Amino acid sequence: MRKLVILALVAGASLAHAQGNSKKELVARLLQLQQPSIEALARNIVERPAVQMMQSAGAAMQAQVPPSKRDAVAKSVDADIRKFVDEASPLLAERAVKLAPSVYGAQMEERFSEDELKQLIAWLESPVNKKFQQQLPELQNGFAQKLLGEAGPLLEPRLKTLQGKLQATLNAAAPPAAAASAQKGAPSPAKAASK
């Protein structure tokens, strides 16, 4: 009897180990399929502060750089920011791919059953999903254009109000001569929103 219990425990442990390995393999396959998304996320993380820096630099140029030098300064700033993104994105993407199994993979293994992982993989590899992923940018672009077309008139008055408030705040903080020149060169809200 004791031998049967031991054999049952060994068999159960072997089955659990095999299922665990199978689940790990499924998670590894899932991470492989998701690698482009993981790399895109890393690029997004790098681009977010770069876009903010670009916006800040643009505002600073308008306030501090003479109009005759703005194009040259803008090109220099753009080149520096692009270089940063081009150099930092692969570094972060490489780290993201290495980190994914221990974080993303561990969570997937914990939260999804083996059957659910198989279903996810089947969906990601399916022709329907591939077609959907190919069509998604066009679908999103069409939606965004329609949304902006319908919501633009709702936002325009708010943008004008915001621009007026920001201009008043900047004028109040600027020396009198700078405020007068800033008011002359300020674009209309419609022009600012279209950029």
Side-chain angles (χ1 to χ4, degrees):
M1 177 79 162
R2 191 170 194 188
K3 284 185 179 181
L4 286 175
V5 171
I6 293 174
L7 284 175
L9 288 174
V10 169
S14 296
L15 180 61
H17 180 70
Q19 287 175 339
N21 282 341
S22 177
K23 201 170 182 183
K24 285 188 184 314
E25 290 168 3
L26 291 170
V27 168
R29 177 70 180 133
L30 188 60
L31 289 174
Q32 180 185 17
L33 291 168
Q34 289 297 298
Q35 185 169 336
S37 297
I38 293 167
E39 291 171 346
L41 174 65
R43 184 169 182 90
N44 247 356
I45 290 170
V46 170
E47 288 176 344
R48 206 173 305 141
V51 167
Q52 290 172 345
M53 283 187 250
M54 181 75 90
Q55 291 170 344
S56 296
M61 274 191 303
Q62 293 297 319
Q64 299 170 2
V65 177
S68 62
K69 295 184 179 181
R70 286 184 188 151
D71 284 342
V73 172
K75 286 178 183 177
S76 177
V77 167
D78 184 58
D80 289 340
I81 290 175
R82 284 183 192 274
K83 182 179 178 190
F84 165 78
V85 169
D86 290 345
E87 289 175 354
S89 292
L91 294 173
L92 196 60
E94 180 184 339
R95 304 244 179 192
V97 169
K98 286 181 182 176
L99 185 62
S102 64
V103 178
Y104 188 38
Q107 291 174 357
M108 297 288 291
E109 192 173 337
E110 179 184 307
R111 296 177 185 179
F112 290 87
S113 70
E114 188 173 330
D115 188 50
E116 290 169 330
L117 291 169
K118 287 177 183 176
Q119 290 176 41
L120 276 172
I121 291 168
W123 163 250
L124 291 171
E125 291 177 333
S126 75
V128 171
N129 181 51
K130 289 177 183 177
K131 182 177 180 179
F132 176 70
Q133 294 300 324
Q134 289 172 345
Q135 298 296 317
L136 191 58
E138 186 178 330
L139 294 169
Q140 289 175 335
N141 186 38
F143 174 72
Q145 288 178 1
K146 181 74 172 171
L147 178 62
L148 287 174
E150 289 188 17
L154 298 172
L155 294 177
E156 183 67 26
R158 289 179 170 89
L159 283 171
K160 285 181 182 180
T161 301
L162 176 61
Q163 184 180 19
K165 285 181 178 180
L166 293 176
Q167 191 64 47
T169 302
L170 292 172
N171 287 344
S181 67
Q183 247 179 350
K184 289 179 187 175
S188 71
K191 288 181 184 176
S194 67
K195 289 184 180 180

